[in-house]
Amino acid sequence: MKRIYNCLVLSLLLMPGLPALSQVKVTGTPARIVTQFAFEQFSGGVVIIKARLNNYADSLNFILDTGSGGISLDSSTVIELNIPTTPSERTIRGIAGIRRVNFLYNATLHLPGLSVDSLDFHINDYEILSSVYGVKIDGIIGLSFLSRYIVNIDYDSFLMTVYTKGDFKYKKGGYILKPILTSIPIVPSRFRDRARFDARFYFDSGAGLCFLLSENFAGDSLVINPKKKTFLTQAEGLGGKTEMRVTTVKEVRIGPYKFKNVPTYIFEDAYNITAYPYLAGLIGNDLLRRFNVTLNYAKKEIHLIPNTHFYSPFDYAYTGLGIYAIEGKITVEDVIPGSPAEKAGFKIGDIVVSVGSDFSNNIQAYKNLLQSSTQKHKVIISRNEELIILTLKPDSIL
């Protein structure tokens, strides 16, 4: 789970999506390719791009995030590179708090084959994101970049293609969403559990989850059956960690595309980042990665076309175990009371040595292995310099 940034509350009505085949052809300057480069993909579908900043030689890791209304740098990266910044009175909001930020003004971001100038980076602390993904996260790229270009994200080939603004021909067989867009795209979705609902959601590629609802919306709509079991978990966000509940909803629809039994987080939106009652929550990248996506902010269009991951199974495994990469070790930081992790005997501070036969010390690999709710996992941990074998059998949230 990631950080969700400050956005404007809108008063416009949602516009329906349009089938790609019904797109009206506009005569004008055609869009042209500027650059194409590879990206990495982490758990939950989160996209990582490598880029350089100004004249600094170091290659930095950035998350591409439609849920960010700007562009940002990690505070420790600023310190390491001795980058001068300017204090401000501006704040950002996230799932776990509100924070005042400094800025780096008029900077240039050097992507492979493309330099983007005149960018104002706000400074934030991404230590927790680095520990979640096991690599240093140096920043987040959002609206400040996406608003200048047409960007295609191909999750089949792990390639990103950047085009100039202009007339653009989408691939056949897809669908055009018409989001409300000021800083973060807002799209309609129809979903069903206890009843069927139409609501507005952030289109959030930086969120490593499928679907999220605020407790206010879930409570007022009674969309989730009160008798339905939910599971307590932790999520990481701006300001630290916050508790959430996780369950499933029977169906989520994006345009004409339907997904069944979708993992769904429900959280107490204390800082109203979802602008309830205007919005119900967000659609995250564990759903969005099942499409190849074209972001055309100038036309206020998002084109989706199903890819080879469209029918990939969802992660229904629930462990109640929170592991983080800390100083080169995969460390247990959260053990939810009553969870499979607690029943297996995990304790905060345990060091994970292996999951099954995997001794890679790679947090992404370990998380992927623990996503199966149909088998038991032998986990070797180090506790007080003693190696212990624990057996973890995840529950299923279905």
Side-chain angles (χ1 to χ4, degrees):
M1 184 59 187
K2 44 76 66 189
R3 301 160 196 227
I4 306 170
Y5 290 92
N6 190 28
C7 65
L8 298 176
V9 179
L10 309 176
S11 58
L12 302 176
L13 295 175
L14 282 174
M15 298 172 64
L18 298 175
L21 295 179
S22 69
Q23 180 187 10
V24 177
K25 186 176 180 180
V26 179
T27 57
T29 304
R32 59 178 178 81
I33 294 179
V34 179
T35 186
Q36 184 180 77
F37 51 87
F39 62 84
E40 291 184 82
Q41 188 176 5
F42 287 175
S43 58
V46 171
V47 170
I48 304 294
I49 299 170
K50 291 190 177 295
R52 291 189 303 104
L53 178 70
N54 288 343
N55 295 321
Y56 298 98
D58 292 5
S59 181
L60 306 178
N61 295 315
F62 290 87
I63 294 176
L64 185 73
D65 186 3
T66 59
S68 168
I71 193 165
S72 60
L73 280 174
D74 175 57
S75 54
S76 67
T77 301
V78 168
I79 293 171
E80 290 166 11
L81 297 180
N82 196 27
I83 298 173
T85 63
T86 303
S88 79
E89 296 299 315
R90 294 178 61 182
T91 60
I92 56 174
R93 293 185 294 165
I95 61 172
I98 300 175
R99 182 171 293 174
R100 184 176 295 173
V101 293
N102 289 359
F103 272 82
L104 169 64
Y105 292 108
N106 199 31
T108 299
L109 185 71
H110 302 285
L111 297 163
L114 172 65
S115 293
V116 187
D117 61 16
S118 306
L119 294 171
D120 295 337
F121 289 78
H122 72 260
I123 313 305
N124 202 2
D125 181 359
Y126 294 140
E127 179 183 4
I128 196 165
L129 287 183
S130 297
S131 65
V132 166
Y133 295 117
V135 300
K136 179 72 167 62
I137 301 299
D138 296 291
I140 290 177
I141 297 173
L143 178 73
S144 300
F145 166 71
L146 296 172
S147 61
R148 299 190 188 188
Y149 302 94
I150 300 170
V151 179
N152 175 261
I153 308 166
D154 189 325
Y155 291 97
D156 286 323
S157 60
F158 301 107
L159 285 175
M160 185 172 301
T161 307
V162 181
Y163 300 82
T164 60
K165 295 179 183 179
D167 290 348
F168 189 84
K169 186 176 181 180
Y170 302 106
K171 287 187 177 181
K172 292 182 179 180
Y175 186 82
I176 299 174
L177 294 173
K178 299 290 287 185
I180 292 173
L181 178 59
T182 54
S183 58
I184 300 174
I186 296 171
V187 298
S189 176
R190 173 170 292 180
F191 68 102
R192 176 173 60 87
D193 196 68
R194 193 183 190 190
R196 181 176 284 110
F197 287 89
D198 293 298
R200 306 174 186 91
F201 293 84
Y202 288 133
F203 184 98
D204 194 347
S205 69
L209 48 76
C210 290
F211 199 57
L212 179 143
L213 300 172
S214 69
E215 287 279 9
N216 285 336
F217 178 85
D220 290 349
S221 66
L222 294 178
V223 63
I224 306 295
N225 190 328
K227 295 181 180 179
K228 188 174 185 177
K229 185 175 181 180
T230 60
F231 298 81
L232 185 64
T233 188
Q234 290 271 11
E236 300 81 25
L238 174 62
K241 301 176 186 177
T242 188
E243 287 188 350
M244 292 191 182
R245 296 186 292 139
V246 62
T247 183
T248 60
V249 296
K250 291 180 181 178
E251 181 182 283
V252 173
R253 179 171 176 170
I254 306 173
Y257 307 111
K258 298 178 183 179
F259 299 93
K260 303 290 187 181
N261 298 319
V262 177
T264 300
Y265 287 81
I266 305 170
F267 84 116
E268 189 66 52
D269 190 1
Y271 300 94
N272 199 27
I273 60 169
T274 57
Y276 180 77
Y278 183 73
L279 304 179
L282 64 84
I283 299 169
N285 222 41
D286 205 16
L287 272 185
L288 303 179
R289 70 179 180 85
R290 297 161 195 270
F291 304 91
N292 291 336
V293 179
T294 302
L295 303 168
N296 190 344
Y297 281 19
K299 300 287 188 179
K300 294 189 176 180
E301 294 177 346
I302 297 174
H303 181 256
L304 306 177
I305 187 166
N307 60 28
T308 57
H309 310 289
F310 189 80
Y311 294 106
S312 295
F314 292 116
D315 174 16
Y316 298 119
Y318 172 74
T319 64
L321 180 69
I323 56 174
Y324 299 82
I326 301 174
E327 296 181 353
K329 298 178 180 180
I330 310 303
T331 305
V332 174
E333 289 285 298
D334 302 309
V335 180
I336 301 298
S339 69
E342 185 184 59
K343 294 173 184 175
F346 285 91
K347 296 184 182 297
I348 293 174
D350 288 346
I351 306 299
V352 178
V353 177
S354 72
V355 177
S357 59
D358 191 322
F359 288 79
S360 65
N361 197 44
N362 184 312
I363 192 169
Q364 298 292 317
Y366 290 171
K367 286 182 175 181
N368 289 338
L369 288 168
L370 294 174
Q371 284 180 351
S372 173
S373 59
T374 61
Q375 66 185 67
K376 295 180 180 179
H377 304 278
K378 296 292 185 182
V379 182
I380 299 177
I381 58 101
S382 175
R383 183 186 298 160
N384 300 325
E385 301 184 353
E386 178 184 1
L387 294 180
I388 302 171
I389 300 176
L390 302 177
T391 301
L392 177 62
K393 174 62 174 71
D395 285 338
S396 173
I397 62 173
L398 268 175

